[in-house]
Amino acid sequence: MGEEGTGGTVHLLCLAASSGVPLFCRSSRGGAPARQQLPFSVIGSLNGVHMFGQNLEVQLSSARTENTTVVLLVGLEELTNIRNVERLKKDLRASYCLIDSFLGDSELIGDLTQCVDCVIPPEGSLLQEALSGFAEATGTAFVSLVVSGRVVAATEGWWRLGTPEAVLLPWLVGSLPPQTARDYPVYLPHGSPTVPHRLLTLTLLPSLELCLLCGPSPPLSQLYPQLLERCWQPLLDPLRACLPLGARALPSGFPLHTDILGLLLLHLELKRCLFTVEPLGDKEPSPEQRRRLLRNFYTLVTSTHFPPEPGPPEKTEDEVYQAQLPRACYLVLGTEEPGKGVRLVALQLGVRRLLLLLSPQSPSHGLRSLATHTLHALTPLL
């Protein structure tokens, strides 16, 4: 259950469905973790609402007041058949970093789009070749290179992971405190919800980590440090070039129009996306405001204009459409006068959807042309 109170405080509360025993409560205020906790009386009231609806075979999904929103979330069956509450509480602590990152002001967007946050490295083919060789040497098909929670490169096996695993695993790695190496048990919601896999992470450079999803083998000692150094030491310069990509997503020098303050490119078939609000340096509004604007605009256009799945293939002029789907839309916040407000434009062509946040200098009549040109420039990358 989550409660959003006044002053921007968000509480995520998990209760045992049968007994109402609190399993954990995580709080966030202004996008950062908060120590403020829900009073026990509020927890009891929330559980009472849940139990009352359950007895009437009614599922309560949300309740709203003027200043508060309460949301009830249904967990996995394993969390409803609890044999040892204290053991479960202890096990759930391993998820706190991930949960807190969802409550906070994350720089990622995969939680909203259900697409993997990616970046484009300058020497992608070289890193991909090294990654494939490392995967073969370790005997696992599931290997990726992750910078600040975004995938730089990955093996075919890793890309075949379904949703939400492909989104959650790099997000989890980006949410954990820095560590040289980890051997982390993970349950895959679809692939393996009852038997844990091992998520091995090896830090190559600060915020740049090598991730392996595997079974009982290989042992971590086999990978670190000998095999790691042999495979990756020769690629130190290409690896260093990946570090700025955490915020920028695109290689330095990639040609973007100077009016672009942020962009979100989605490949709806591959379930991958590029997201940045810092393409060309510091300008107003702030990165936090830009992320909020693009996230809200994505929600708007997905729910009202564009279908969630890839659009139909391109058709010839002599074919008749029974129903036309929109290809573009734009939103002006503030005023349409040049130099005031901000512009948001969305464009969908085939399996790609592009959302741009543009400076107030960008004229409204040129938004679609600018978006089309930008999408054509980005298409070879994703």
Side-chain angles (χ1 to χ4, degrees):
M1 303 178 183
E3 178 181 1
E4 184 175 350
T6 59
T9 301
V10 179
H11 302 286
L12 181 66
L13 173 65
C14 181
L15 303 174
S18 56
S19 64
V21 174
L23 300 177
F24 68 81
C25 180
R26 309 300 294 172
S27 302
S28 172
R29 182 179 179 85
R35 293 185 178 181
Q36 178 184 356
Q37 297 294 317
L38 288 175
F40 188 77
S41 58
V42 175
I43 295 176
S45 298
L46 290 172
N47 183 59
V49 173
H50 164 71
M51 295 297 292
F52 180 77
Q54 191 177 52
N55 291 335
L56 297 176
E57 297 183 352
V58 174
Q59 180 178 328
L60 180 64
S61 60
S62 67
R64 298 174 184 270
T65 66
E66 183 178 354
N67 299 316
T68 304
T69 300
V70 181
V71 181
L72 280 71
L73 305 177
V74 179
L76 293 176
E77 183 179 354
E78 287 78 1
L79 295 180
T80 62
N81 299 323
I82 302 171
R83 295 182 177 87
N84 187 326
V85 172
E86 295 305 316
R87 172 65 183 274
L88 179 60
K89 285 184 181 180
K90 183 178 178 181
D91 291 342
L92 287 172
R93 289 175 189 165
S95 304
Y96 283 179
C97 288
L98 181 64
I99 292 169
D100 289 346
S101 70
F102 284 126
L103 292 177
D105 183 20
S106 175
E107 296 181 359
L108 308 177
I109 201 169
D111 61 320
L112 181 64
T113 64
Q114 290 302 294
C115 294
V116 180
D117 285 277
C118 300
V119 298
I120 306 299
E123 300 187 63
S125 58
L126 192 62
L127 295 175
Q128 188 67 51
E129 183 180 350
L131 198 70
S132 299
F134 185 79
E136 185 176 352
T138 57
T140 177
F142 306 97
V143 185
S144 68
L145 190 61
V146 174
V147 60
S148 302
R150 301 164 174 86
V151 175
V152 179
T155 61
E156 291 185 10
W158 185 281
W159 286 127
R160 285 198 298 268
L161 291 171
T163 304
E165 285 92 330
V167 174
L168 286 175
L169 287 173
W171 192 305
L172 169 64
V173 173
S175 71
L176 296 174
Q179 211 163 351
T180 303
R182 301 186 192 91
D183 193 335
Y184 206 85
V186 292
Y187 291 86
L188 306 180
H190 286 169
S192 183
T194 56
V195 179
H197 281 61
R198 295 167 65 221
L199 177 63
L200 306 182
T201 68
L202 303 164
T203 298
L204 302 178
L205 291 170
S207 75
L208 182 64
E209 299 180 72
L210 196 62
C211 306
L212 298 84
L213 189 64
C214 55
S217 62
L220 191 59
S221 58
Q222 177 184 324
L223 309 179
Y224 184 84
Q226 292 83 3
L227 182 59
L228 187 70
E229 292 179 354
R230 187 169 75 245
C231 292
W232 296 99
Q233 186 69 30
L235 298 175
L236 197 54
D237 287 340
L239 292 173
R240 285 190 180 124
C242 296
L243 299 183
L245 298 176
R248 196 167 57 223
L250 298 169
S252 178
F254 184 83
L256 282 178
H257 197 283
T258 55
D259 285 349
I260 296 176
L261 302 178
L263 69 85
L264 170 61
L265 173 65
L266 303 108
H267 195 297
L268 302 175
E269 192 171 83
L270 297 178
K271 294 292 183 182
R272 304 176 198 174
C273 67
L274 297 175
F275 180 51
T276 178
V277 293
E278 303 178 33
L280 297 169
D282 295 332
K283 292 182 181 178
E284 292 294 332
S286 69
E288 294 77 14
Q289 291 173 311
R290 297 183 196 186
R291 279 193 290 271
R292 195 175 302 116
L293 285 167
L294 276 170
R295 288 178 71 96
N296 290 341
F297 188 51
Y298 172 83
T299 302
L300 173 68
V301 300
T302 302
S303 60
T304 59
H305 298 302
F306 299 138
E309 297 301 323
E314 297 293 330
K315 296 189 177 183
T316 57
E317 294 182 358
D318 57 346
E319 289 184 279
V320 178
Y321 283 95
Q322 292 184 347
Q324 284 280 3
L325 293 175
R327 292 191 178 184
C329 64
Y330 76 91
L331 176 66
V332 175
L333 298 179
T335 173
E336 291 207 28
E337 296 179 24
K340 296 183 180 180
V342 295
R343 284 89 168 102
L344 292 140
V345 59
L347 176 70
Q348 179 154 329
L349 292 177
V351 297
R352 291 177 177 84
R353 182 181 301 163
L354 175 66
L355 282 71
L356 295 179
L357 172 65
L358 301 166
S359 70
Q361 285 74 31
S362 192
S364 300
H365 61 80
L367 295 181
R368 180 167 181 174
S369 175
L370 193 158
T372 302
H373 176 79
T374 305
L375 182 56
H376 287 160
L378 292 170
T379 293
L381 304 182
L382 184 66

